[in-house]
Amino acid sequence: MNQVRFNHLLGLEGLSQEAITEILDSAEVFLEVLKRPIPSVPSLRGVTVANLFFEPSTRTKISFELAEKRVSADVANFAASGSSMTKGETMLDTARNIEAMKVDVVVIRHFAQGAPHFLAERINASVINAGDGSHEHPTQGLLDLLTLRHQVGQLDGLKVLILGDIAHSRVARSDIWGLKTMGAEVKLCGPATLIPRDVDLMGVDVTFDIVEGLSWCDVVIVLRLQMERQREGLIPSMREYLRTFGLTRLRLEQAGGEKIIMHPGPMNRGVEIDSDVADGPGSVILRQVTHGVAVRMAVLYLISGGERGIE
Amino acid sequence: MNETLSPIKPPSGWEYHSTEKLALRGGRLFDPSAELDEQTDLIIEKGVILSIGAIPDGWNGEVVDVSGCLVCPGFFDMHVHFREPGFEHKETIRTGCTAAAVGGFTGVAPMPNTNPAIDNPGMVRFQQEQALGLPVDLFPIAAITTGRKGATLTEIGELRDVGVKVFSDDGSPLVSSEMMRHALEYTRMFNLVISEHCEDMSLTKGGVMHEGSVATRLGLPGMPSIGEEIPVERNIQLAEFTGGRLHIAHISTAKSLDLIRRAKDRGINITAEVTPHHLTLDCSLLEGYNADYKVNPPLRTVEDVEALIEGLADGTIDAIATDHAPHAPDEKEVEFISAPFGMIGLETAVGVVHTRLVSTGKLSLSRMVAAFSTAPRAIMGLHEVNLKVGQAANITLFNPDEKWMVDREQMLSKAKNTPFHGWKLTGRTRGVVNRGMAWIRK
């Protein structure tokens, strides 16, 4: 059934529209599976998946584990801590160990940009990037696309505002590539200190005026603001951030009403988003979480060959 | 310098020749500084150039056929890192000098960022002794400040007495403008040179590559061009104010070049160097997160590369220096952000520059030879080296037509971190003559 060959999923940059469509179409089938009384299928029976999380993560890790179990893969969790930076095992040794243990698929979350690429070049197993530093988080990008496709049907021509700390966001990069490839328009909004240089060359516009951005868009993806940005001198204070770039009910009203509201989580309520918006009528934040499991099932299924069929 | 050790054997594939009585036959003698370009023979006796011209009948010395090769004044690399003492697993002075000789360099100036730093005469002598028996002159660069900490000047006068010509705190550039002022004033008394790695660390902090669209896509923290250009301009101003001798190490941006050009036009006595990698590689190569391309200053844009080539061709940039920076494979083969900066360059420099700049017509052969030989020696205030009868034989033999492929496994450096692995090059070193010995590739 699958037309496109997936060896690894390292990022959405460069992934074709056909490939993304195929993942989303498969994810639709898995969404149906998830609604059944026994929400699992034997698609990956006999396939061993290792979860390698070098960085604390709760929801992405749980989402991957659930997805792996629901496609009947054998799952091994590596409590990976440390790196060559902290005198632990080096990435190279990690790669060699994985290779020696004959794992089929590796899901890796790492604080270092490019760590999944490093692994993919050195092991035979397929590598799925579960977030690498401030580079990409492709399954988050895919679940955002799936959520939007569900919500509005058509991604082509959709206007999406990504709001917040673009510079340090792997979600922003994956969303930009995925959305652009699927024909959506993307605008970025955030403090100038958190908008990376020459980002317009990714094919996006930038605005520093949140009301202008909100008036323009159909969808807002709100990004988490890390507290350390204030310590690093990139923003004056959390209070000012909320006042200047926080997504509030008042701002939405100034911009002409309801939008689809997304957030990759975990949210800082009262910093980048107000509770009445996060829990309001436009919010699809919890649907994103559900879609995350289905998208990851689809990626695991396609990456391990999809030979057995979904059922 | 007295030779106290017997000559060290060259690596396999190379032959050692004494220069008691040695003739180089049939080469193209090429020395822009002596306005020499002639195909003829050159005879060396007791390490000194005895004659230029056809080998006379009945001459009974050793003859090496070097037809097809350029016979040039010995090449000099004024910016290398040899890691000894302190990091001998990366490189030693012996392995570094061997790599230098094989790459065509008869002289090198290692930076003082060893452990401990080269900041006193004893350390300088230690380094000098490690190079004895090799056909490579070693001129240690000493630290400007004790321990390269930026606080107190080293004993510059004493260091001069043991042969130091250039001072640098290398990768720990002087933060304090006042300290830079004093360093330029103090070295000026002795006609010594400050070589400065221009980097404003407050702007480049945490950065791992050139800041711009590629870094933005890769999600990597950037090092902006102004992180180099601001200290370039500050140091030019201080050089003008003090009259000190400033040399700007490894410039990497078009704007740095422009600042240097304008300063030279104003008559300020500054010089500059550029590396082969900044002349040939740009930041788009970092796309695959390959740490072999991670270097400081970072690889910049194609526009910067083109400007630097022009600046080298028109003489704004005086010299080519490799910034040879060896690291062990297990240090480089880690996540990109954790890998150390640096690439090796001694064994590829001449071939890369010849292939990419001279063969393509962007740089004249005479500019290349000058930038590799007479220019760095002049910057450092070393004695002149040229192909004249009566001069000590200090020669690089270079075959401009030989085709070869760079293979990191074949390198003589202890380190393998080259970005040029697999490159097909035209032009290769055939040998070096210096300190009474010749190493010539079979």
Side-chain angles (χ1 to χ4, degrees), chain B residues 1-5 8 84 93-94 121-134 138 140 435:
Chain B
M1 198 180 304
N2 292 323
E3 295 292 338
T4 57
L5 284 178
I8 289 165
E84 185 179 2
I93 289 172
R94 171 89 63 99
M123 297 297 298
V124 171
R125 286 210 191 88
F126 164 78
Q127 286 201 321
Q128 288 164 339
E129 280 166 16
Q130 308 312 307
L132 297 180
L134 290 156
L138 189 92
R435 289 171 134 184

Side-chain angles (χ1 to χ4, degrees), chain B residues 131-161:
Chain B
L132 297 180
L134 290 156
V136 179
D137 300 318
L138 189 92
F139 287 92
I141 295 174
I144 301 170
T145 62
T146 307
R148 304 192 305 118
K149 294 190 190 319
T152 50
L153 291 177
T154 52
E155 287 156 335
I156 287 169
E158 277 192 56
L159 286 158
R160 178 201 55 170
D161 293 343

